[in-house]
Amino acid sequence: MNIKLKDLFSLIGVNIPEKFAGLEFPSHLATDSRDVVKGGAFVALEGEKTDGHKYISQAVENGAALVIVRTGKNPGLDVPVVELENPERDLARLASEKLKVHENLQEIVAITGSVGKTTTRAALQTVLKQKFIVHAPERSFNTLIGCTATIMAMPLETEILILEFGANKPGEIRELTEYFPPTMSVLTAVAPVHLEGFGDVEGVLNEKLEITRSPVMTSIVYNNDNELLNEAFKYVVKSMGVGESKDSDFVISHDTSDYKLPAMSFVLAHRPTQEIARFTVNIWGKHNAVPISLAAAVGHELGISLQDCADSLENFHALEGRGRVIILDENKFMVDDSYNANPASMSASLETFAKIKIPGKIAVLGEMRELGENSEKYHAELEPLLENLDCVILTGGTWRQAMKNGNYIFAENWQEALEAVKDFMSSNEWHGILIKGSHSIGLENVVKYMQKSSCLGVGSTSFHQA
């Protein structure tokens, strides 16, 4: 059961017309008319590029049962319409108030960081749902309206809410923390991302640390291998470090056995209690041991044993575009890491790819965007990781400016990159292809082509690491 419209909107002093005051607030909220589900709600937002009020009819055609508009822009539809002075802010206030009437809600866990937020969130949801009723974003909803949509869709019986906090410029994490104060926070990493908004990595760090301002915060789980976070939380009470460092609260250790695609395996130990468990997870690269371990650390803090955490993640698979390994046949595989890219994640993914001893390795790399004035430098620093690859296709103008040496293929867009892939594969032996870049490059289209043109297999493939 959800809250009645009249009761819900009364939390922020908005009166609902009597004829639909008794209706329940829908269990799905969308700000894009294409994402509307039948019986859901559509919020018409005014943005820099478009005005959501233009797509109200399309949203209703797609099944919207409630439409929220700016005051004075009621189009006079047959479906219920709620007018708000500022739909984005008013709904955020409403979501904030809604949290207070969820009597079963025990914890609000918010995840922030430069990389790995969504993987951590998905893994944490998998871990916690074995013991709790969990509600989490359906996608990477890490903005004010995204978190609002997640909360507005949260069932009343929810016991643990998981949120992602993202930011492109200063002040956004603080705002999210003020609206939706977490009881637990998870910090995945601080790295040079969105530097056009933050200026430098110190600016990124300061923004991420805003999450700790929550007045109801009880514990902080962070990546102890990240030097900036390690320094920030070294003397913080009730913070738990996760990483390969021996002084971490949760210590990650890797063995040197053969790399079994698509699974990644490591051992996680809780140093204070000496509890230990092996994790085998269907995700790409040892760098993803950190987000998996962060999820396990939160689960452990909430009363789930490490072994139970490991068991729950045995069937966990990487999300689309985020380290998903696809076995194309018994001798060929593809790594779909196409959703996003920054210097830290690009380096980690390339290091894993470089260590696998196979002939015929192809890397299709999109440029890393929003890196500010040092963008070319960050691209050029990756060049040593490309040395032993058989084919490197660099997509986007920044690569061309940054790379002065090496036998690379340069492409202006994903279409040219795809043609280069086809040309290489038609005349060369190959066994593995890594696809990674900023989402706006569109390299997921190369992934889709590879899936359609190949006979997908099942099982695992063994490769020796250097």
Side-chain angles (χ1 to χ4, degrees), residues 92-323:
R93 287 196 300 120
L94 184 58
S96 183
E97 292 299 320
K98 184 174 185 279
L99 289 175
K100 301 173 184 177
V101 301
H102 280 258
E103 296 180 356
N104 294 323
L105 192 60
Q106 301 173 24
E107 303 283 352
I108 301 173
V109 184
I111 303 165
T112 193
S114 302
V115 295
K117 292 187 295 295
T118 301
T119 297
T120 303
R121 181 260 298 166
L124 180 57
Q125 186 175 8
T126 300
V127 166
L128 294 182
K129 69 181 182 182
Q130 62 182 304
K131 183 178 179 180
F132 302 98
I133 299 173
V134 182
H135 183 71
E138 62 181 40
R139 296 207 301 270
S140 185
F141 289 164
N142 58 28
T143 62
L144 182 63
I145 191 62
C147 289
T148 297
T150 298
I151 294 167
M152 296 304 293
M154 182 173 64
L156 285 173
E157 63 269 22
T158 299
E159 295 173 323
I160 296 184
L161 169 65
I162 304 173
L163 297 172
E164 288 184 44
F165 284 5
N168 295 321
K169 60 182 185 295
E172 292 181 328
I173 299 294
R174 175 181 282 198
E175 181 178 52
L176 290 168
T177 301
E178 290 174 348
Y179 275 113
F180 320 121
T183 59
M184 299 182 69
S185 64
V186 181
L187 290 94
T188 62
V190 171
V193 298
H194 302 304
L195 295 186
E196 291 178 354
F198 296 117
D200 55 29
V201 72
E202 290 293 334
V204 178
L205 173 65
N206 292 335
E207 180 66 17
K208 300 306 181 186
L209 293 180
E210 291 289 341
I211 199 172
T212 64
R213 291 178 176 268
S214 171
V216 294
M217 185 77 69
T218 60
S219 56
I220 301 165
V221 180
Y222 67 97
N223 177 359
N224 194 54
D225 288 343
N226 188 262
E227 185 175 346
L228 289 168
L229 290 178
N230 188 3
E231 286 298 317
F233 293 118
K234 185 174 289 185
Y235 305 109
V236 174
V237 177
K238 203 53 179 174
S239 64
M240 293 165 285
V242 176
E244 294 186 34
S245 171
K246 296 306 179 185
D247 63 357
S248 299
D249 299 276
F250 293 85
V251 182
I252 301 168
S253 59
H254 299 269
D255 56 35
T256 56
S257 60
D258 285 354
Y259 193 79
K260 304 284 186 181
L261 293 173
M264 176 264 297
S265 183
F266 65 94
V267 171
L268 183 64
H270 184 230
R271 197 166 57 90
T273 63
Q274 297 186 329
E275 187 178 349
I276 191 168
R278 173 172 286 279
F279 288 70
T280 301
V281 188
N282 293 305
I283 195 167
W284 169 251
K286 65 177 288 186
H287 55 284
N288 272 313
V290 170
I292 297 299
S293 297
L294 290 170
V298 174
H300 190 271
E301 178 71 1
L302 295 177
I304 302 174
S305 72
L306 285 187
Q307 188 58 57
D308 284 345
C309 291
D311 291 344
S312 68
L313 289 165
E314 278 188 355
N315 295 317
F316 178 82
H317 291 269
L319 301 176
E320 186 173 328
R322 290 180 167 91

